[in-house]
Amino acid sequence: MKSFFHKILAFTLSFAVLFSTTAFAADMHFCCDKLVDLAVFSKVKSCDEKVKQQDKKPTKECSIGQKDCCSNQTFIKQGEDNVKKVASEFSLENFVVLSTFIYTYINLFEGLELKTVPFINYDPPWIEKDMLVLHETFLI
């Protein structure tokens, strides 16, 4: 469960770094203060076809045919280029430490043989006195 949350956190942080360093622009086309079209990586389409249809029906309200009624807005999100880059210097001392760590880590998990009993040649200690009788402790 803990590793699952670590994976989610790592994915979220990597997405945050990707999103903060990427630049994009969004174009929005408004007619009568209503959003008509939205384009993220391209230019928005104007409402020329709707203007031709609207010319047949004149109204007193804000219509698509009026010149000042339609507007375009652009939202630009600049990318961040000041992300600190890791400078790695790999010297002979670092290589020795790294190789020693890898060697000991790999050998740490070597298992014993299946039928190895390390105390097979040792006898139990001699009991000089029977401690249960000496302390008068008996199981009932």
Side-chain angles (χ1 to χ4, degrees):
M1 190 73 169
K2 187 176 180 181
S3 65
F4 179 69
F5 288 123
H6 281 274
K7 289 178 183 178
I8 289 175
L9 182 65
F11 180 75
T12 305
L13 290 176
S14 63
F15 183 73
V17 169
L18 177 70
F19 183 73
S20 67
T21 57
T22 305
F24 66 92
D27 287 341
M28 297 172 281
H29 183 73
F30 290 96
C31 285
C32 301
D33 294 329
K34 293 182 182 178
L35 181 64
V36 176
D37 194 12
L38 174 70
V40 178
F41 292 107
S42 62
K43 294 288 183 182
V44 293
K45 296 178 183 177
S46 63
C47 51
D48 292 335
E49 296 176 5
K50 294 181 181 179
V51 169
K52 292 176 184 175
Q53 293 175 357
Q54 192 72 14
D55 287 339
K56 298 175 185 175
K57 299 184 262 182
T59 59
K60 294 180 181 178
E61 297 178 0
C62 176
S63 64
I64 298 175
Q66 294 177 351
K67 292 183 180 178
D68 296 329
C69 187
C70 296
S71 65
N72 290 335
Q73 292 182 356
T74 303
F75 170 75
I76 299 173
K77 192 235 176 246
Q78 296 292 330
E80 297 291 330
D81 291 336
N82 58 0
V83 177
K84 185 176 181 181
K85 296 178 181 174
V86 177
S88 62
E89 296 178 10
F90 202 69
S91 63
L92 182 62
E93 292 84 16
N94 293 344
F95 179 73
V96 170
V97 170
L98 183 64
S99 64
T100 306
F101 175 74
I102 290 172
Y103 178 74
T104 56
Y105 188 76
I106 289 173
N107 289 338
L108 181 67
F109 295 108
E110 282 186 2
L112 297 173
E113 294 179 13
L114 295 176
K115 296 184 179 180
T116 303
V117 180
F119 53 86
I120 195 80
N121 295 328
Y122 296 105
D123 293 332
W126 291 98
I127 299 176
E128 295 178 9
K129 297 178 183 175
D130 192 2
M131 299 304 266
L132 295 175
V133 175
L134 183 63
H135 294 287
E136 297 180 359
T137 306
F138 305 106
L139 292 175
I140 300 176

